[in-house]
Amino acid sequence: MLIIAWSGLGWLTFPILVVGTVVGALAVPDPNWGPLIGGSTACLVLWFWGRNLSRYGRDHTMWAVPMHWWDASLLTFGWATVLLAVLYAE
């Protein structure tokens, strides 16, 4: 059983990433680069917004990870996935 635990506005982490990825997929016609561009933009939004929220001393976490650190791992995973998809598509 998966328990979703958050504090503060940490619950907004994944909805922001999903919306950014979907908007990027709809805006850019390339199926590899569209979601990556949208997800990267959403990660930048999360980084700046999460750092700004954490500056006031309140924790905004998802699974005990601060909101602004989720984007680093997800951005790395997204770029690695697209790179592998492009390399092995040929």
Side-chain angles (χ1 to χ4, degrees):
M1 184 164 120
L2 179 66
I3 297 173
I4 300 175
W6 71 82
S7 65
L9 295 174
W11 66 273
L12 288 173
T13 301
F14 288 117
I16 289 171
L17 288 170
V18 169
V19 167
T21 304
V22 169
V23 167
L26 295 174
V28 179
D30 189 328
N32 290 329
W33 294 104
L36 183 65
I37 291 170
S40 299
T41 305
C43 283
L44 286 174
V45 168
L46 270 180
W47 174 260
F48 287 112
W49 193 38
R51 298 247 326 150
N52 189 26
L53 289 173
S54 295
R55 190 171 37 164
Y56 298 111
R58 250 188 105 198
D59 288 333
H60 300 280
T61 64
M62 174 70 86
W63 289 305
V65 177
M67 188 177 187
H68 58 279
W69 286 111
W70 274 101
D71 66 337
S73 61
L74 295 171
L75 189 63
T76 302
F77 178 74
W79 278 96
T81 303
V82 169
L83 180 64
L84 289 174
V86 168
L87 288 176
Y88 289 109
E90 298 173 358

